[in-house]
Amino acid sequence: MKRRLLVLAAAVAAAWLAWGLWLRAGRAPRPPPPPGEVRGAYHLHTTRSDGRGTVDEVVRAAREAGLQFVVVTDHNVTSPEDQGYRDGVLVVQGSEVSAPYGHVVALGVPRELSREERQKDTIGSIRALGGQAVLAHPFHPRRPFTRWANDGW
């Protein structure tokens, strides 16, 4: 009985490994970007909010994918110490602000927004801190942006 289980486990592991190698081999090659083109990823989360990897792990994955920058936008958190080049990848710090009317990405703010700033006039607070506001995911099925009539845009 133990031998059969061991053989079955080995077969499952071999099949899993073969499937993974087959998937990896089927990926299209990633040529380097043409001159003047910059490749990156915007609106990433780390373990500082609800992401799965640390900043270093995100940077490693970005480098392996051929990206030159990442914009990290954890929920209601800023980490200015993470900004700058890490292992050849530019890390740009932002914050995905949870507002009552949806999620807004704050770029260029020097600090986290207070609860009051997030709840009242999120976009105005971001602007007052010298930042830029970008809608995070305005048509999200569970948390869509609902302040379209705001005249402060």
Side-chain angles (χ1 to χ4, degrees):
M1 181 70 166
K2 284 184 182 180
R3 182 182 164 113
R4 283 185 182 166
L5 285 175
L6 187 59
V7 169
L8 178 62
V12 169
W16 182 262
L17 178 64
W19 182 65
L21 291 172
W22 177 77
L23 282 177
R24 192 166 178 88
R27 289 184 180 169
R30 289 189 183 265
E37 181 179 298
V38 179
R39 294 181 178 171
Y42 169 78
H43 192 108
L44 301 173
H45 297 285
T46 70
T47 52
R48 288 203 168 111
S49 64
D50 58 351
R52 294 184 184 174
T54 65
V55 173
D56 289 334
E57 291 168 333
V58 167
V59 166
R60 184 172 42 253
R63 190 184 68 252
E64 289 172 3
L67 302 182
Q68 296 154 297
F69 73 90
V70 292
V71 181
V72 177
T73 56
D74 284 311
H75 289 274
N76 304 312
V77 176
T78 58
S79 305
E81 68 276 7
D82 290 334
Q83 293 192 114
Y85 279 93
R86 287 177 170 232
D87 204 15
V89 176
L90 176 63
V91 177
V92 178
Q93 180 61 49
S95 177
E96 183 176 355
V97 181
S98 300
Y101 43 81
H103 290 172
V104 178
V105 171
L107 298 170
V109 293
R111 62 171 175 79
E112 298 168 17
L113 272 66
S114 69
R115 181 174 174 80
E116 183 177 332
E117 289 169 324
R118 290 193 316 261
Q119 296 301 311
K120 289 191 176 179
D121 182 15
T122 308
I123 296 167
S125 297
I126 292 168
R127 190 177 304 125
L129 289 171
Q132 294 293 320
V134 180
L135 299 183
H137 30 73
F139 304 111
H140 192 280
R142 286 179 290 161
R143 189 85 195 257
F145 188 77
T146 60
R147 197 171 177 191
W148 295 106
N150 179 16
D151 58 355
W153 282 100

